[in-house]
Amino acid sequence: MDIFALFEGRVSDALIASFPELEGNADILARVVVEPPRDPAHGDLSTNAALVVAKPLGKNPREVAAALATHFEKDEDVASVEIAGPGFLNFRLKLEIWHQVLASIARLKGDYGRSKVGQGEKVNVEYVSANPTGPMHVGHTRGAVFGDALASLLSYAGYDVTKEYYINDAGSQVDTLARSAYLRYREALGEAIEIPSGFYPGDYLIPVGKALVEEFGNSLLDQPESAWLAPVKQHVLAAMMELIKDDLRKLNIEHEVFFSEKTLHGAGGEIEKTLAWLRDEGFIYEGRLEPPKGKTPEDWEDREQTLFRASQFGDDVDRPLIKSDGSYTYFAADIAYHRSKVLRGYTTLIDVLGADHSGYASRIAAAVKAVSGGTAKVDVRFCQLVKLLRNGEPVKMSKRSGDLVTLADVVDEVGPDATRFMLLFRRNDAPLDFDFALVKEQTRDNPVFYVQYAHARCWSVFRNAEKDMPELDVSPEALLEADLGLLSSSDEIELMRMIGSWPRQVAAAARAHEPHRLAFYLHELAALLHAFWAKGKENPSLRFVNQDDPTLTVARLALVDGVRQVLVNGLGLLGVSAPKELS
RNA sequence: GGCCCCGUAGCUCAGCUGGAUAGAGCAGUAGCCUUCUAAGCUAUUGGUCGCAGGUUCGAAUCCUGCCGGGGUCGCCA
């Protein structure tokens, strides 16, 4: 159960009951929220209802609040209602409601927090989409983790999510890749090679060269490029995608759809169809573009070209679709790609890109608006750079020989849990410092550890209970029967309140496309648990396990179990493991 | 020059789509280990929310204009 959603419904009903003219006024009612008050002393729930509707009703907010208050005095879950400030309504709930929350967690387990707010809407999350020219480097890692956590979150919140990877396998860079692989092929056949600049120099192509020898023997040798380029390209692309998938697997990331750009090209392909369609709609014309102000490219050539009327859909300028050599621009393919998403039935398209593509957002938005007739929503999320540090010092990355720090390097050193959590413990559009030393540290300064430790501590409490009170039944069934009425101290209520807000957190994070909120929530919940645990040190009556009070112990264990379950659910959404014990 | 992102405590950052007296961690200061894991906790110091206007019952949050930092700017992907 989500008590905030529950009361939002009740407040809305109460408003309509008191002011029938509000009936059907969805836009006003939508602004009414029920949230936890900033100051817990104000109560358990707070609503702005009176402030929101006062003006349209032409009434004084406090009058409206008073009307609502009388309505809620009859509510069996409400202990007291109080009007505060300009017209806020603060509710203090009866203790039982928190006990109901705990009971519902015990019942729902992994589904506590799962919701239907997405209403089954089809969402396509496109992320990673790293060029298949080599292994993934750290720059890709953030987008990979972000997209993956977002996909999990949305799916948990009731959206119908597809995780998709767009393979940029059609551009000139993959020709360069193939040529680089061909060099390694010749090397594998005993030739001494030199790698010209502009080629991919990485060592990861050496095994590809050997594999080419195994597949083709020396039959590609002394052939013109036209003979070997296609087969080598096909082979090396497959090899690179395997490399990338291996990297992603290290972070437990698996896409459901790999969409090849190449399949859009060619006669009768989707790009052609899309451009024909756009032409029919009148969204394409032949024209000239102004050179960008303030910075005219060296080789600027004023020519007439095929343009998409992006500016008609909110973009700054119209965008070219065909290069001077007659081939399609990347954007032309991207329009076709996004059209394919729309045609496949997705109504929300999420693109996760690196911050260096930030100028691309308005173009995508324009394209999606055009190809969907405005019916599809698009959200382009940008991931900022990750600065790698070691003990506070920036990690030097030598670009020579393409030797960047790879995703595999990071994950091998700190593990998938820490990598994922740290990258999610920051808003995606804010730059992030990733300090190897901190991430491996087992102290409270390390948020990954701090949260995982809270979870392990929950298990530790259970282990202690079994050791100290072996005759006590702490099975899930026994916990369901616990006398929760014994949980009434302010610390216990605070914890129950916190886990009671979990469903609301999930829904809000999903709507905002912001998985980092979950990471912060978990950190806060962990802090509350640690604080409560520490109080038992000073005051033994506050311990979870009390040998002289088995009934209270069972009740407290039920609370610990609720916290544990929320930590498990939250870490699960972030793709971070929840160990029962830390080594 | 155009466009996008950012600017909140000494540092690193949250701030729940406009709510009440702006929060947390680190650092600083003062405490807590015969006690469920001190791998932790408590207290305390610290802010013209970059600046100036505007919108309204109410702005860190929305709008406009500046200042500062980053990114990007037809035929790269």
Side-chain angles (χ1 to χ4, degrees), chain A residues 285-300:
Chain A
Y285 68 103
E286 304 297 318
R288 290 170 191 279
L289 276 183
E290 296 282 312
K293 291 213 165 59
K295 187 197 159 210
T296 306
E298 296 281 317
D299 56 350
W300 180 266

Side-chain angles (χ1 to χ4, degrees), chain A residues 75-303:
Chain A
D75 190 305
E76 55 178 10
D77 294 321
V78 172
S80 66
V81 199
E82 162 179 318
I83 302 167
F88 286 102
L89 213 53
N90 293 330
F91 302 97
R92 214 167 291 277
L93 302 180
K94 293 200 179 133
L95 220 45
E96 291 77 52
I97 197 123
W98 303 116
H99 303 147
Q100 287 168 26
V101 167
L102 260 191
S104 85
I105 298 175
R107 226 176 26 247
L108 293 169
K109 300 192 171 63
D111 288 331
Y112 175 65
R114 191 185 287 281
S115 71
K116 296 191 167 65
V117 300
Q119 297 178 309
E121 183 178 350
K122 284 193 75 175
V123 180
N124 183 290
V125 185
E126 179 209 333
Y127 61 110
V128 185
S129 300
N131 293 336
T133 55
M136 295 183 58
H137 59 82
V138 274
H140 301 119
T141 310
R142 190 171 187 182
V145 170
F146 172 80
D148 197 59
L150 177 57
S152 303
L153 167 60
L154 289 175
S155 144
Y156 199 67
Y159 295 84
D160 180 5
V161 180
T162 300
K163 302 185 276 185
E164 188 153 321
Y165 186 122
Y166 183 53
I167 310 172
N168 299 137
D169 52 4
S172 59
Q173 60 182 350
V174 288
D175 290 337
T176 306
L177 176 73
R179 292 188 189 104
S180 307
Y182 185 70
L183 276 180
R184 294 297 190 179
Y185 164 74
R186 281 163 49 193
E187 182 183 47
L189 286 171
E191 205 173 314
I193 59 155
E194 197 171 312
I195 300 170
S197 75
F199 279 52
Y200 293 100
D203 291 346
Y204 55 86
L205 287 177
I206 295 174
V208 175
K210 289 181 180 148
L212 283 168
V213 173
E214 267 174 45
E215 188 174 344
F216 298 102
N218 61 4
S219 68
L220 300 180
L221 219 52
D222 305 319
Q223 296 284 321
E225 182 175 295
S226 58
W228 56 256
L229 190 65
V232 169
K233 202 196 302 193
Q234 192 184 358
H235 181 101
V236 69
L237 273 173
M240 292 304 99
M241 284 315 294
E242 280 317 305
L243 213 59
I244 287 169
K245 287 179 192 175
D246 282 346
D247 282 346
L248 290 171
R249 258 191 289 274
K250 282 178 188 285
L251 282 170
N252 304 314
I253 292 171
E254 216 148 334
H255 292 79
E256 289 144 1
V257 175
F258 286 86
F259 195 103
S260 157
E261 179 190 351
K262 206 166 48 189
T263 62
L264 297 168
H265 287 74
E270 284 304 315
I271 302 180
E272 233 172 52
K273 284 187 196 160
T274 300
L275 294 202
W277 183 83
L278 288 170
R279 221 178 285 275
D280 284 348
E281 297 289 318
F283 299 153
I284 287 181
Y285 68 103
E286 304 297 318
R288 290 170 191 279
L289 276 183
E290 296 282 312
K293 291 213 165 59
K295 187 197 159 210
T296 306
E298 296 281 317
D299 56 350
W300 180 266
E301 165 198 358
D302 186 22
R303 66 178 178 91

Side-chain angles (χ1 to χ4, degrees), chain A residues 430-444:
Chain A
L432 170 88
D433 290 345
F434 189 98
D435 194 319
F436 283 100
L438 169 64
V439 169
K440 290 196 291 184
E441 209 172 273
Q442 300 223 325
T443 70
R444 65 201 219 109

Side-chain angles (χ1 to χ4, degrees), chain A residues 18 27 42 69 182 197 220 229 264 289 306 322 327 341 351 383 413 415 442 452 462 485 491 500 524 528 563 571 579:
Chain A
S18 309
D27 47 329
H42 291 147
Y182 185 70
S197 75
L220 300 180
L229 190 65
L264 297 168
L289 276 183
T306 305
I322 296 176
S327 63
K341 294 186 195 176
D351 291 10
C383 289
E413 181 167 345
Q442 300 223 325
Q452 284 186 325
F462 271 86
D491 299 291
E524 247 178 88
L528 278 186
V563 172
L571 287 170

Side-chain angles (χ1 to χ4, degrees), chain A residues 338-375:
Chain A
H338 281 83
R339 181 160 171 268
S340 139
K341 294 186 195 176
V342 171
L343 293 176
R344 282 182 278 150
Y346 298 106
T347 48
T348 292
L349 314 183
I350 301 179
D351 291 10
V352 179
L353 301 176
D356 54 339
H357 291 74
S358 63
Y360 204 64
S362 49
R363 217 171 303 180
I364 295 280
V368 171
K369 201 181 277 185
V371 299
S372 75
T375 59

